[in-house]
Every structure is written in structure tokens, then in C-alpha cells.
Amino acid sequence: MEQNERLRHASSFGAAATAYAEHRPDYAQAAVRWALEPAPGLRVLDLGAGTGKLTATLVAVGADVTAVEPDPAMLTELRRALPEVRALPGSAEAIPLPDASVDAVLAGNAMHWFDMAVAGPEIARVLAPGGILAGLWNVMDDRVDWVAGLARVSGSAAIGPRDTPTNWRAETADMHLPKTGGAARFGSPEQTEFPHGQRRTADSLVATLATRAGMLVMPEQEQEATLGRIRAFLASRPETADGEFTLPMLTCVLRVRRR
């Protein structure tokens, strides 16, 4: 994705902040604990924190969290949901924290929006020696037959290659590296995945997919056609046609240590 297109997608979420807060899933606690395991302490920056989905899980596992989010509407939702958390405006490229002030930087479904040529040095700056950078992604488990069918019907705007376990490792393996040939600020990556799930109905799953960046920037007529195909597919499957069901998911993690 080119820089201008990446920025357009990254800035699309504010208009859907309330729906994002309502419909996006949280993160598996086991994944968050694994991400933090080698960190020298529990001072954690949730970078690109959105409406606080990862922030809430970090609070639940006992971390001392600071959340940083560039979009004012998303930040408002985070502060409403988690008033006890320190939440600041800022971005991965301009982090409003002092040098060596956190033990870990975590990003939930956000690292792919960072310009690591700029964000890498900034993240390294705020990390204490031996600090950890980890990206977490909630992906749909397309090893389950009906989920694979949903991915085919939805198209890449709603369920892209980074959104399924089939491809996420390749898509994220170098996410911590600058794309412009700058110096790497972090060591070798480790990747793993943890079982997760989200209780949904057909309507709420459609609403969840409508908050994906590719859907938010889509022309209205095309968006409605895509969502219509998804609704029809879910209505046709016994697993999803009636009432609540668990959407099979994984929380996948990329973890690297500051050099």
C-alpha cells in the first residue's frame, strides 16, 4: 500500500469510532502476557490505542498503561470507556513520552499503519533498555470452513491477508523494520498465536466488518453491495443464521526486543 493510501486508510476510523468501540473484539489475555513476558517491567505504552480494546486487556493483566492515539474521536471513546487510564494525543511517529519511560510498547491491530522509518526510532527512544515492542492482531480462523467461506465472500477490503492465520506470519514478519532502508532498531522477531473468539450475531458480525478500514473508505454503493453479500452468506449458513455464535479467532503476536 502506498503512503498516501496508507494514510487515508489509517485516518478512516474516527468517523466510525462509536461502532468500532461497540463491535471490535478485545485481545486474548494469554497473548498479552506472552508479549510482555520478557519486558523488564510493566510500564506499558499502548500505541495507536484506538478506543481502548487492547488497553482494557492490559489493565486486566496488571500493566501500568499509558495509551496514545492520534484520532480525537477514538481518543474520546477510550477516555469514556477507561477514565482511569492515562490517555494522550500522539502518534507512533511523535510519542508524547520521555526517553526510556516504558518497558514495553504494544500495538493492537495498529502497527501496520506506522511509518517505521520514523516510528522505529521514536519507539526505541521511549523504551527502557531491554524493552519490548509487540504487535497484536486479531485474525479470523479461516481453517474453519464457514469462516473461509466468509473470507471469500467478503473480499480483501473486509477480510484481508493479514486478517487470517493462513497469511498473517508472512504479512507481519518484517512489520518492525523501516521500509526505506534505515537502521533496524529491534532484534529478531518472534511470532506466535493464541486461541480467541468473539460472541456475535449475523447483524453484529456485519457491523464489525463494516468498521474495517477498507470498508470505511469504500464508495457507499460498493460498501452496501459488499455488506449485502456478507449478510446473505451468513443467513445461508447453519452456524450463523440464527442467534448468537462464537466467531473463531486467534490473537497473533509479533514480538521484538529493542537493540
Side-chain angles (χ1 to χ4, degrees):
M1 188 182 295
E2 293 185 0
Q3 177 77 351
N4 289 342
E5 188 72 1
R6 183 181 64 81
L7 290 173
R8 187 168 75 98
H9 281 68
S11 63
S12 67
F13 296 111
T18 301
Y20 193 107
E22 180 179 357
H23 294 294
R24 285 294 185 103
D26 62 3
Y27 293 83
Q29 287 193 13
V32 172
R33 290 193 181 96
W34 184 84
L36 295 176
E37 186 178 34
L42 285 176
R43 298 173 301 165
V44 181
L45 167 60
D46 182 1
L47 189 55
T51 62
K53 295 294 182 177
L54 177 58
T55 315
T57 308
L58 285 164
V59 170
V61 302
D64 175 14
V65 190
T66 298
V68 168
E69 166 57 38
D71 188 282
M74 302 286 271
L75 191 60
T76 295
E77 287 291 335
L78 190 158
R79 287 170 168 163
R80 181 191 60 76
L82 298 164
E84 74 281 9
V85 171
R86 182 189 185 201
L88 305 173
S91 69
E93 295 78 20
I95 301 172
L97 295 179
D99 296 359
S101 58
V102 296
D103 301 301
V105 174
L106 269 60
N109 278 75
M111 193 185 292
H112 48 276
W113 303 124
F114 299 169
D115 177 2
M116 288 304 293
V118 181
E122 266 293 88
I123 293 167
R125 178 184 66 78
V126 302
L127 277 172
I132 293 296
L133 167 64
L136 295 88
W137 289 267
N138 279 323
V139 307
M140 297 185 184
D141 192 350
D142 63 350
R143 297 169 296 190
V144 177
D145 181 65
W146 75 262
V147 179
L150 176 64
R152 289 191 296 269
V153 166
S154 300
S156 61
I159 303 177
R162 197 176 49 246
D163 299 322
T164 59
T166 306
N167 296 314
W168 84 269
R169 285 179 183 270
E171 290 286 325
T172 64
D174 64 351
M175 202 66 74
H176 59 294
L177 299 175
K179 300 294 186 280
T180 54
R185 302 286 174 152
F186 304 96
S188 299
E190 300 174 88
Q191 293 174 294
T192 193
E193 59 194 47
F194 296 85
H196 198 30
Q198 184 186 25
R199 294 295 288 172
R200 295 282 80 186
T201 63
D203 286 344
S204 65
L205 180 50
V206 170
T208 301
L209 294 174
T211 68
R212 299 298 182 97
M215 297 295 294
L216 292 171
V217 301
M218 188 180 281
E220 185 176 356
Q221 188 172 359
E222 186 181 352
Q223 183 188 85
E224 282 305 311
T226 301
L227 295 177
R229 290 197 307 273
I230 294 170
R231 287 190 190 96
F233 174 82
L234 294 173
S236 75
R237 295 290 306 209
E239 300 94 339
T240 57
D242 296 308
E244 282 195 340
F245 53 88
T246 297
L247 174 64
M249 302 176 69
L250 301 166
T251 296
C252 300
V253 190
L254 167 74
R255 183 175 74 183
V256 291
R257 189 183 295 274
R258 180 189 183 276
R259 288 190 188 277

